[in-house]
Amino acid sequence: MEFLKNHIMPVRRSLLSVPTDNRRALEKAPGLDCDGVIYDLEDSVAPEKKAEARDNLANAFSREFPSQQERIVRINPLESGFEEDDLKLVARIMPDAVALPKVEHAGEIAIVADMLARFAPTRPIALWAMIETPKGVLNAASIAANGKDLKCLVVGLNDLRKATSVLPQPGRAYLVPWLMQVVLAGRAYGVDVIDSVFNDFKDDAGFSAECVQGRAMGFSGKMLIHPAQIEIANRHFGPDPHSIKEAEAIVSAFERPEMRDLNVINLDGKMIERLHFEEAKTLLAQAALILARKKSP
Ligand code: COA
Ligand code: MG
């Protein structure tokens, strides 16, 4: 399994948003099986509660948390409600990343990256950009190309629908071209892509269908609003038993000594190329990472 070491990438199937003014939710978050927690200081927190929310967040980061959970702090956009105090707190608690909402230009990422470097000079903190405005979608490629320290694009459909008047329809019909534009932008520049939240947290069937669609479109995972959505997102965005078996067959076929000089093979009537071999190794690495997480306390 030596090859696994070269194929490790963050697993981001499920990223739960937790309002930082909600102490109960903050307490629960580290015990949940989500790949990441987005600690929200933006839309879910009323301006009058911001100071209290920052205290809650500082407390939450002083407690134990599972090492495999990625921790992201979502601040306010530069254009509205932005507070330097949020970044000063970020520099104290050192999350894995800061999520900047409503990003429309790469310059905004550069501004926040520079401020973060000033407040937290010892270790870089990654940036995530929320793409949730018409200009954000139109400029997704240049944001992904030029965003300093940018690791992830997260689509926000509540804001995008509001700004564009696109109705919520089955299959997100009129939104698909924009979603795919964000996927393409992220993938072109090695920036991960996360699908939007799904508001109706009691509708498991509707949520499952949207996860299947998001996975098929190329997203790595979904931003979530409720713990009930975690297991479903993990299942749909993680490798399923059938694809694991298929990947194992591809890897063992290509690793046979007689295959060393071959770039294309016939595996049970299917053409398999070296790119499928690479894909299979990545999938197995992801499966191994998920399995290791389950075993760790
Ligand atoms: N993170 C952690 N725990 C959460 C949670 C979240 N996002 N949402 C709910 N929970 C917890 C509740 O605290 C409750 O815990 P308990 O039973 O142990 O007390 C349990 O899950 C069940 O919650 P439920 O009663 O079904 O929902 P609710 O009425 O408490 O909350 C929402 C519903 C929508 C208000 C809440 O899920 C929420 O605030 N979600 C995030 C919203 C957000 O971040 N928006 C901005 C990004 S779009
Ligand atoms: Mg938003």
Side-chain angles (χ1 to χ4, degrees), residues 98-118:
V98 165
L100 187 63
K102 302 183 180 75
V103 175
E104 301 194 324
H105 305 283
E108 295 165 57
I109 298 289
I111 290 170
V112 176
D114 287 349
M115 278 196 240
L116 270 176
R118 205 156 22 92

Side-chain angles (χ1 to χ4, degrees), residues 42-43 74 101-102 130 132 156 158-159:
E42 196 218 5
D43 280 348
R74 186 168 82 158
K102 302 183 180 75
M130 301 231 22
E132 48 187 347
N158 284 325
D159 279 295

